[in-house]
Amino acid sequence: MTSRKLILLASSAAAISWWGPASADVAADGPTQIEELIVTAQKREQKTLDVPIAITAYSRANLDRLGVQEFEELSLYVPGFEVQNQSPNNPGFVMRGITSDSGEATNEPRVSVFQDGVSISKSRGSYIELFDLERVEIAKGPQSTLYGRGALIGAVNLVQAKADPSDWAASSKVEAGNFGYAMFESMLNIPLSDTFAIRFAGRLKKRDGFVENLLDGKDFNSTNTAAGRVLLNWRPTENLKADLIFNYEKDRPSGTSFKSLTYAPTNPTTGAVIGDLGRNSGAALAASDGFEGGKDLGLDRSVWGVTALVDYTISESLSLSSITAYREFDSLEIFDADGFSMPLFLFGEDAKGKQTSQELRLNYDGGGKLTAFGGVSYFHEDGSQRVPLQFNEKVYALHAAGVLPKPNGLALPTINALAPAALKSVHRETYANYGETTAYDVFADATYKITDQIEVTGGIRYTRDDKTSGYGAALDNGGSVLAGSTPALARGLFLQPTKDGKPEYKDITDTGLTYRVVGRYAPSDQLSFYASYARGRRPKVLNVAAPVAPGAPVNFSVLPAEQVDSYEVGAKSELFERRLSLEGSIYHYSYDNFQTSVLNGAGQVVTANAGEAAATGFEGQLNLRPTSNIEVFGTYAYNHARFGNGIFEGNSFRLSPDHSLSLGARFTASVPGGTLAVTPTYTWQSKIFFDANNDIPALQTNDKIQDELQESYGLMNLRVGYTPAQGPWAVELFATNLLDEDYIKDAGNTGGAFGIPTFIAGEPRYYGVSFSIRY
C-alpha cells in the first residue's frame, strides 16, 4: 500500500469521525435522537459505538422502512457488502471483495451467514427470506474468533424475533404490484403462561418473471416462495432461558434467464428470428427431450432447520450458552446454459446438504476490568452436488465448426441435414462431487480495560477438520459419437467417466489457528477509536476433477489453506445527543493461496489457487436526524482488491466494485388524520467484472471480446406511506428501480467456457402498494 493511499484513506476516516461540528446548527432545533441499537457481535450486548469492529446493523423497523425482504436488497445499504442473486439456489455473497458462491460440496465458504449463531453458509442453502427479525448484524473483517467457520473476511448474523411470554402480539402485511406481485406475511405471539410462549411467523411471495419467455412458457426470473417459522420460549426461572426454533422455506421460481449475445433467439422449429441480442430483452430457452424426467426450467428447493438456544446464569459473573442445531437443504435446478433456443446443451444441479452443530460457551462478566468467553464447538456436514448434462451433438458440431448462423436462426431439420447422421441428438453425462466434514473448535476471547478509556482485546481459535471428498462421473446413454467412442471404449463428450461410473473418495485432515488483537480508545462517551490485527483462515480443500481418460483415476489435489492478514483502524462517533452518528474505517488485507472459482474447458466450475492478492479500502456510514421529521443516512465504500501474482496479476476480484454508495432520507409530516412519510433512496456502484479473468481475451481460449462486465450504474427507490393518528394500520406505495435502469447481474457463466457467454438481467422497475396492521 503506497503512502499516498494511506494519507488519502486516513484523511477520509478522520473526516467521517470529526464532521459533526459542521452540522451543529442544523441539528440544534430538535430533541430527536437516532435509534440506539444493541448488538451482540462480540457475544455480549453492546452499543455499536463500543464494538471495535466495522459493523453495520439494522433493526426490524429500519428494514421495514427500507423495504428490505432479501439479502440482495440488504446489501445495497451495507458498505463493503454485495450480494448477487441469480436464483435462491445460486447466490454470491461478497464481503470487501471476497466472494463466497461455490456450490461444490467439497468447498468451504469465505463469508459466513448465521441464523442466531448457527452457520447456514453453504451456498445452496444460505439465501433465505428476511422476515420477522429482531435485527441483522454484518461484521466486516476476519471474524473467525467470534463466528468460526467460514468467517475468513466477515460474517452476517440474522437475529430472529423470539417468542415473548410477557405480552400478546400479532401483525400482518399484504402487498401487491406489477408483474403479478403478491405478498402476504403474518406474525402471532401467544403467551401461554408467565414463563412459556409460542410465536408463529410466515411469508408467501409470488411475482411473475421479468424476462419474457419468447417460446410461450413461464417468463424467466420469477419469485415463488413460502417461508415459515415456529418459535417456543421457556423461562422457568430468572436464571434459565431456552428457545426452540423451527425454520422452513420452499422456493419454486421459474428458470434463470441465461441470454446469449452470440445467437439470436429463434423458433426452434422454423428457425425464424423471434428476438434480439439485448442483454435485458426476451429469451428463447426451454428444457427438452425429457431431461431429468421431463422437468421444466426452474428451481425446486427446500430448506429447513431446528435450533435450540439455552442460556443459563450460573452466578453474577458467569453464564453458560448452548447452541444446538440441525439443518438440511435439497435443491434441483434446471437451466438452459447455452442461452439460445437450439438444444446445444442443457444442465441441471441437484444439491443436497445436511449439517449438525453444537456450541458450548462459558461467558464471564464480573462488572470489572475483564470480560471474556471461551468454549468448544462441533460441526458435521455431509453434502453432494450432482450435475446432469445433456448435449445435442449435431448442434454442437455446427457450433464448433463455426457454421451455426449468427444472428439468424437455422431450422432444426436443416441442422439434421447438415450434421452427420451418426451424431446423437441427445447425449447425456452426469458428474457428482461429495463432501463430508467433521470439525472441532476450541476458542477464547477476552477484553481487558486498562483504564476507563483504553481497552485491549485478544482472541484465538483452534480448528481441526477431518474431510472426505469424492467424485464420480457416468455416461447415461452410452458414449459420445462426436468424442470418437467405440464399442470397446465409451468416451464422454466433456467429462470422462470414472471406473464403472462409481465415485472415488479420499480423506484429508487439516488444523489451523486464527486470532485477533484489538486496541480501543474512547476519549469520551461519544467517540471511539480502534485498531486491529487479525488472521483469517480458510481450511485446506481437497479438490476433485474428472479422470483424464475413461475409467482412469479421479484427479484429487490439495489446495493449501487460504490465509489473510488484516490491518484495520476505525473511528465511531455519536454527537449532538445522538442525533448524528458517524463511522469510518480503513483496512488493508494481504492474502496467501487465494482460491478462486474458474471454468475449466469442460464447463465445470472448479476451485483454483490464484496465489497472492491484496485489498485496501475505506468504509463510512452516516445517520443524521436534524429535526424530529427529517432523517438522512448514507454509506460509502472504496475497495481496491487486486490479484498480486499468477495469471490474474493486476485483475480485479469478481463481483467487487471499487466504489459503492447509498444515500437516503426519510421525511415525515403531519397531514389530516395522521402522518405522511416519504423515503427516497439511491444506491450506486462502479464497474464490476464477473470472473477473475476479467474477460481478458488473452486469458481465454474461446472468447475474444471483453464484454462480460457491468459498467457503473445507480438505482433509485421510493416509498411513500401513511399512518393514521388513531388505528393500528398503515398503507404505503413503493417503487424499486424507479428509473427502470438496465443492468446485468452476471455474465460468462457456463457458456463462457465454450465461447458463447451468457448474460443474466437485473430486475426492472417494480412498484406496488402495501397494507399492514398490528392487532
Side-chain angles (χ1 to χ4, degrees):
M1 181 167 50
T2 66
S3 59
R4 182 179 179 183
K5 286 181 180 177
L6 276 172
I7 293 171
L8 175 63
L9 293 174
S11 300
S12 300
I16 284 290
S17 62
W18 290 103
W19 179 60
S23 300
D25 57 341
V26 178
D29 65 337
T32 304
Q33 295 182 348
I34 295 171
E35 174 188 17
E36 183 171 27
L37 189 61
I38 301 300
V39 298
T40 54
Q42 295 195 115
K43 306 302 180 183
R44 62 183 185 272
E45 293 187 348
Q46 291 178 288
K47 298 187 299 182
T48 55
L49 177 71
D50 298 332
V51 180
I53 297 172
I55 184 171
T56 302
Y58 284 105
S59 66
R60 174 173 49 194
N62 272 334
L63 294 175
D64 287 343
R65 289 171 192 151
L66 294 171
V68 169
Q69 297 181 2
E70 301 180 18
F71 280 116
E72 191 172 42
E73 298 163 339
L74 173 67
S75 69
L76 297 175
Y77 305 101
V78 180
F81 184 46
E82 307 279 336
V83 178
Q84 177 211 60
N85 176 29
Q86 286 191 13
S87 77
N89 189 57
N90 195 9
F93 289 85
V94 187
M95 193 79 77
R96 290 181 170 176
I98 303 302
T99 302
S100 186
D101 63 351
S102 174
E104 290 182 295
T106 57
N107 221 327
E108 290 280 353
R110 290 194 188 98
V111 178
S112 288
V113 183
F114 290 87
Q115 275 183 315
D116 288 310
V118 177
S119 175
I120 61 170
S121 305
K122 274 294 188 180
S123 174
R124 277 26 182 180
S126 61
Y127 198 90
I128 57 174
E129 288 290 306
L130 307 183
F131 67 98
D132 198 35
L133 298 177
E134 181 181 315
R135 67 183 181 277
V136 177
E137 302 175 9
I138 302 97
K140 278 70 73 78
Q143 303 297 339
S144 300
T145 299
L146 298 173
Y147 289 95
R149 299 201 61 81
L152 174 79
I153 207 64
V156 181
N157 190 26
L158 309 177
V159 182
Q160 302 172 115
K162 306 302 188 296
D164 184 2
S166 67
D167 197 11
W168 184 91
S171 65
S172 294
K173 179 184 286 187
V174 179
E175 294 185 348
N178 63 336
F179 289 94
Y181 173 64
M183 192 278 292
F184 173 74
E185 67 179 33
S186 191
M187 177 277 295
L188 176 62
N189 185 87
I190 307 174
L192 299 177
S193 72
D194 292 339
T195 61
F196 187 74
I198 186 169
R199 186 184 186 100
F200 303 93
R203 173 182 288 170
L204 299 174
K205 185 164 67 173
K206 287 190 176 184
R207 177 179 270 127
D208 297 337
F210 59 84
V211 174
E212 182 185 1
N213 185 341
L214 301 175
L215 300 181
D216 297 327
K218 293 181 180 179
D219 290 337
F220 302 110
N221 299 347
S222 71
T223 299
N224 187 350
T225 294
R229 184 179 306 136
V230 179
L231 308 97
L232 304 175
N233 178 267
W234 183 46
R235 305 178 187 179
T237 70
E238 291 184 358
N239 293 341
L240 178 62
K241 182 179 72 172
D243 292 284
L244 184 65
I245 308 167
F246 175 78
N247 279 288
Y248 177 81
E249 179 167 328
K250 182 74 170 180
D251 298 285
R252 302 194 67 180
S254 58
T256 303
S257 62
F258 292 98
K259 179 73 181 294
S260 173
L261 302 193
T262 305
Y263 298 112
T266 60
N267 183 310
T269 302
T270 66
V273 175
I274 55 177
D276 59 40
L277 296 178
R279 303 189 310 175
N280 297 72
S281 56
L285 310 174
S288 62
D289 301 302
F291 182 66
E292 284 293 286
K295 294 187 181 299
D296 201 359
L297 299 180
L299 169 66
D300 186 352
R301 185 188 76 146
S302 61
V303 182
W304 69 273
V306 180
T307 301
L309 308 174
V310 179
D311 291 290
Y312 179 67
T313 301
I314 301 171
S315 67
E316 290 185 358
S317 57
L318 286 177
S319 64
L320 182 66
S321 300
S322 171
I323 304 175
T324 309
Y326 178 80
R327 195 167 190 270
E328 286 191 17
F329 65 84
D330 188 341
S331 65
L332 175 63
E333 186 165 20
I334 308 297
F335 50 100
D336 192 350
D338 55 46
F340 67 108
S341 52
M342 293 293 101
L344 177 59
F345 45 71
L346 186 64
F347 286 9
E349 183 191 38
D350 182 5
K352 293 179 172 61
K354 300 179 181 179
Q355 72 177 56
T356 305
S357 61
Q358 172 66 59
E359 177 182 288
L360 290 172
R361 186 177 73 250
L362 185 66
N363 311 288
Y364 173 80
D365 187 352
K369 293 181 177 296
L370 179 66
T371 305
F373 66 81
V376 296
S377 67
Y378 165 83
F379 179 87
H380 179 78
E381 181 178 64
D382 192 357
S384 64
Q385 181 196 46
R386 180 181 67 91
V387 181
L389 321 171
Q390 178 173 291
F391 306 94
N392 185 311
E393 293 187 333
K394 300 175 187 291
V395 177
Y396 183 81
L398 297 177
H399 163 69
V403 298
L404 200 60
K406 310 174 190 178
N408 296 318
L410 186 67
L412 195 59
T414 310
I415 288 177
N416 288 331
L418 289 177
L423 296 183
K424 298 164 68 175
S425 295
V426 175
H427 171 71
R428 290 175 178 157
E429 305 172 0
T430 298
Y431 74 87
N433 55 74
Y434 308 87
E436 183 175 1
T437 298
T438 301
Y440 307 90
D441 287 30
V442 180
F443 55 89
D445 195 276
T447 298
Y448 184 78
K449 290 187 176 182
I450 300 174
T451 69
D452 289 342
Q453 296 177 323
I454 300 174
E455 65 182 33
V456 293
T457 299
I460 190 168
R461 180 180 291 261
Y462 170 81
T463 301
R464 174 191 169 98
D465 285 341
D466 295 319
K467 294 173 174 284
T468 299
S469 293
Y471 178 88
L475 305 180
D476 299 332
N477 62 341
S480 166
V481 177
L482 197 58
S485 290
T486 65
L489 185 63
R491 296 183 179 275
L493 181 57
F494 296 101
L495 300 169
Q496 299 310 321
T498 51
K499 186 177 180 180
D500 299 325
K502 297 180 179 180
E504 298 178 21
Y505 297 90
K506 192 172 183 179
D507 298 330
I508 187 176
T509 296
D510 179 54
T511 61
L513 283 175
T514 54
Y515 42 84
R516 68 171 184 148
V517 179
V518 186
R520 176 175 176 259
Y521 172 59
S524 71
D525 292 339
Q526 293 80 40
L527 289 173
S528 177
F529 301 90
Y530 67 89
S532 67
Y533 164 72
R535 164 69 58 86
R537 186 178 186 275
R538 187 191 195 200
K540 292 178 181 177
V541 172
L542 184 56
N543 208 29
V544 294
V548 296
V554 171
N555 288 311
F556 290 97
S557 60
V558 177
L559 295 177
E562 185 175 338
Q563 181 175 289
V564 57
D565 289 306
S566 165
Y567 307 86
E568 183 166 338
V569 296
K572 303 184 180 186
S573 63
E574 293 179 346
L575 307 171
F576 309 115
E577 298 179 332
R578 299 192 59 257
R579 285 171 289 177
L580 174 63
S581 173
L582 291 152
E583 296 185 24
S585 63
I586 61 175
Y587 59 85
H588 178 74
Y589 297 142
S590 176
Y591 302 89
D592 286 326
N593 301 315
F594 185 83
Q595 298 164 18
T596 187
S597 298
V598 298
L599 281 169
N600 64 16
Q604 282 182 278
V605 178
V606 297
T607 304
N609 187 353
E612 298 177 357
T616 301
F618 163 76
E619 292 169 359
Q621 49 194 46
L622 168 152
N623 199 313
L624 171 66
R625 178 162 270 179
T627 70
S628 60
N629 60 350
I630 298 176
E631 181 179 2
V632 179
F633 48 91
T635 68
Y636 169 72
Y638 166 74
N639 183 62
H640 186 269
R642 300 292 188 269
F643 291 96
N645 62 2
I647 60 172
F648 298 143
E649 182 176 359
N651 283 15
S652 298
F653 291 3
R654 65 184 299 265
L655 299 176
S656 176
D658 282 359
H659 304 272
S660 61
L661 65 85
S662 68
L663 297 170
R666 182 175 175 84
F667 306 98
T668 59
S670 296
V671 296
T675 301
L676 184 71
V678 180
T679 307
T681 62
Y682 180 76
T683 60
W684 177 89
Q685 68 174 37
S686 60
K687 178 174 66 177
I688 59 171
F689 293 97
F690 298 103
D691 198 283
N693 63 27
N694 288 189
D695 199 34
I696 297 173
L699 298 179
Q700 303 174 88
T701 57
N702 298 317
D703 190 354
K704 302 305 179 185
I705 302 174
Q706 190 180 30
D707 59 353
E708 297 162 32
L709 57 92
Q710 173 59 56
E711 296 289 354
S712 61
Y713 70 98
L715 301 176
M716 177 73 75
N717 297 338
L718 179 64
R719 307 185 76 85
V720 179
Y722 172 79
T723 304
Q726 302 294 327
W729 59 271
V731 64
E732 187 174 47
L733 302 175
F734 61 86
T736 60
N737 191 4
L738 182 63
L739 304 180
D740 206 18
E741 179 79 13
D742 282 345
Y743 66 100
I744 58 171
K745 291 185 176 183
D746 208 352
N749 302 299
T750 303
F754 305 100
I756 48 172
T758 57
F759 298 75
I760 300 175
E763 286 84 359
R765 175 170 51 229
Y766 288 150
Y767 56 84
V769 60
S770 171
F771 177 82
S772 59
I773 185 169
R774 288 188 174 274
Y775 309 102

